[in-house]
Amino acid sequence: MFETGSKPIRKRSDAWYEVESAEDILADILSRVPIKSLLAFKSVSKQWRRLIESSTFIKLQLRWSLEKPNYLIYPYMDGLVNLYQTKGNGEIIEKITLFGCEDIYALSLLCSCNGLLCFINYPFVPDSNRELVYLIDFDIRICNPATHEVYLLPKGSPSEKKISIGVAFGPKPWEYKVFRFFHPKYDSDDIKCEVYSSITGSWRGIGDVQYCPIGILYCPLGSNHVYVNGKIYWFLPEEGDIITPGSILSVDIEENFKVISLPDEVTAHAFLVDLEGFLSLVAVYDDDQVVDVWILHDSNESNWEKKCSDYVPFSCVDSINFVAARKTEIFFITSDQYLIYNLDNGTWTELDFEDDFESNLPVVLPYTESLLPCEY
């Protein structure tokens, strides 16, 4: 420190100046900092803003963030979008209010990947038959809760029956595609599919498709659809039963479809999750109160391995609202409990969120913070 007149002035550290000069070192340090701090650091200098907003830094930050995923819990509430970032032990790290989504009717969380979320809601049309609106369509929003960015996708093609969607991410981190299955005619079984691309910012029809995934109205939001290693997977309904899964439909980022057989018969309490980069099936059997966990090692061969089978510490008369996975954990939400099953040691842990938020049809998904934009 030295003085000019009577005011002390702190001299800039030579060591820190060297760090700033070596931008790759600075980027490595900043990439491990929480997003909230990074947003504040953008005002430090033009150099820091340029660095933090660069695509190279955004990818570096995401790489570090993916190594330590948490959970994101969304207690479904009309008119209020509060998200809770939570550790596996139940500790709430942060409560996030998603601005720009206030007073949106029936906003539901569908999926999470690379820090981006997909929300849907049934649009309210004044002086309309709301039940008809339910069956036809919904608005689709891509959100980044860390940066508070919300992007409403343009409307897709008109549909005369309920639709199904799924979101694929890649090949670059900030690219995504939304696949939308719809019915152009009410009195026809024709199914068409169109794809929204974050690169073009528009929908593009890919023609007729043979299969339509189980509708969102008939299963917990998100648990019938998961994105794993470049592919989206949905349940296809069993013949004559619109609720129980009979097989799995997959599509890759290049829009190639494939049907995959299930490893065993399942009940309506079946869920698709990502376990360590593999598509996995979690099936709860009501009569035996047993959960089976299957892992698909090769989607081309439908090569399933039963990872484990264990008794569940809850009554199957309870509703299973949601199932998600992170690394080697599976998170179960029932009508009365929040439970985590550890695949490594076969133990169950009950989490207590009673004093934190209402148990109102909550959704849980794996989550990593990122700076990725919602709109390309």
Side-chain angles (χ1 to χ4, degrees):
M1 183 179 292
F2 63 93
E3 293 187 0
T4 302
S6 61
K7 294 184 179 180
I9 299 176
R10 184 176 300 276
K11 188 176 181 180
R12 199 172 197 185
S13 164
D14 290 339
W16 182 247
Y17 178 78
E18 291 177 4
V19 169
E20 283 194 313
S21 299
E23 199 163 273
D24 56 338
I25 298 176
L26 178 62
D28 188 62
I29 294 171
L30 293 180
S31 66
R32 305 166 197 238
V33 173
I35 296 294
K36 184 181 291 186
S37 298
L38 287 175
L39 296 178
F41 289 167
K42 287 166 68 174
S43 61
V44 169
S45 68
K46 291 182 179 179
Q47 178 197 4
W48 282 37
R49 173 179 288 274
R50 176 181 55 78
L51 173 65
I52 293 170
E53 291 180 349
S54 69
S55 60
T56 300
F57 179 81
I58 291 172
K59 288 187 285 187
L60 179 63
Q61 185 280 330
L62 178 60
R63 189 186 75 189
W64 285 113
S65 185
L66 287 171
E67 291 188 3
K68 297 180 179 180
N70 291 308
Y71 291 109
L72 200 67
I73 298 177
Y74 170 51
Y76 175 90
M77 299 288 287
D78 273 351
L80 185 65
V81 184
N82 286 330
L83 306 165
Y84 296 83
Q85 188 178 176
T86 308
K87 292 183 179 180
N89 62 4
E91 177 189 348
I92 294 179
I93 303 170
E94 183 183 13
K95 175 184 174 181
I96 305 168
T97 298
L98 198 59
F99 299 106
C101 292
E102 302 91 340
D103 301 320
I104 296 177
Y105 180 76
L107 191 67
S108 300
L109 178 57
L110 187 67
C111 65
S112 166
C113 186
N114 293 343
L116 297 181
L117 311 178
C118 180
F119 281 93
I120 62 169
N121 73 286
Y122 300 104
F124 175 71
V125 180
D127 303 321
S128 68
N129 181 338
R130 181 173 285 180
E131 291 184 359
L132 182 61
V133 175
Y134 277 172
L135 290 172
I136 292 177
D137 208 350
F138 39 68
D139 290 335
I140 304 170
R141 287 174 171 82
I142 301 295
C143 310
N144 185 327
T147 63
H148 298 285
E149 183 184 359
V150 179
Y151 173 58
L152 174 64
L153 268 63
K155 290 286 186 183
S157 300
S159 182
E160 296 295 328
K161 298 181 185 178
K162 60 182 176 61
I163 70 170
S164 291
I165 71 167
V167 188
F169 297 84
K172 296 180 180 178
W174 50 84
E175 295 180 24
Y176 59 85
K177 287 184 175 182
V178 180
F179 288 77
R180 181 176 178 272
F181 299 83
F182 65 100
H183 302 260
K185 297 180 180 179
Y186 185 81
D187 57 353
S188 171
D189 292 330
D190 290 347
I191 307 165
K192 292 187 180 293
C193 183
E194 59 186 359
V195 180
Y196 174 86
S197 167
S198 63
I199 302 300
T200 64
S202 61
W203 293 95
R204 173 179 55 83
I206 60 175
D208 294 335
V209 290
Q210 188 175 357
Y211 303 98
C212 185
I214 290 180
I216 286 175
L217 292 178
Y218 300 109
C219 58
L221 290 177
S223 292
N224 73 319
H225 139 249
V226 68
Y227 174 76
V228 184
N229 274 342
K231 293 182 180 180
I232 312 176
Y233 298 90
W234 299 265
F235 281 132
L236 290 175
E238 193 175 62
E239 187 173 354
D241 185 344
I242 59 175
I243 298 177
T244 303
S247 57
I248 296 171
L249 177 67
S250 75
V251 64
D252 60 24
I253 202 72
E254 302 299 328
E255 303 168 12
N256 300 304
F257 289 87
K258 180 180 176 62
V259 176
I260 301 169
S261 301
L262 293 174
D264 200 355
E265 290 186 4
V266 299
T267 69
H269 291 155
F271 308 87
L272 297 175
V273 298
D274 177 355
L275 279 175
E276 298 188 293
F278 293 101
L279 174 68
S280 300
L281 170 69
V282 179
V284 180
Y285 297 91
D286 301 354
D287 295 339
D288 301 323
Q289 292 187 243
V290 167
V291 58
D292 288 345
V293 179
W294 297 83
I295 294 181
L296 184 65
H297 289 289
D298 186 351
S299 60
N300 294 321
E301 301 295 334
S302 294
N303 181 21
W304 293 92
E305 174 198 354
K306 183 183 281 190
K307 180 72 173 179
C308 69
S309 184
D310 206 344
Y311 289 101
V312 296
F314 53 83
S315 170
C316 285
V317 298
D318 295 337
S319 171
I320 304 175
N321 292 331
F322 216 89
V323 172
R326 182 195 71 164
K327 294 188 174 181
T328 58
E329 296 177 345
I330 302 177
F331 198 133
F332 292 79
I333 298 182
T334 74
S335 53
D336 295 319
Q337 295 172 288
Y338 297 83
L339 297 155
I340 287 184
Y341 181 71
N342 188 305
L343 287 162
D344 289 334
N345 53 32
T347 58
W348 292 87
T349 303
E350 183 172 3
L351 308 180
D352 183 11
F353 295 114
E354 185 175 350
D355 297 331
D356 299 304
F357 47 77
E358 294 182 38
S359 179
N360 185 22
L361 296 177
V363 169
V364 62
L365 289 168
Y367 174 70
T368 54
E369 284 192 330
S370 83
L371 290 164
L372 291 178
C374 299
E375 185 179 7
Y376 187 73

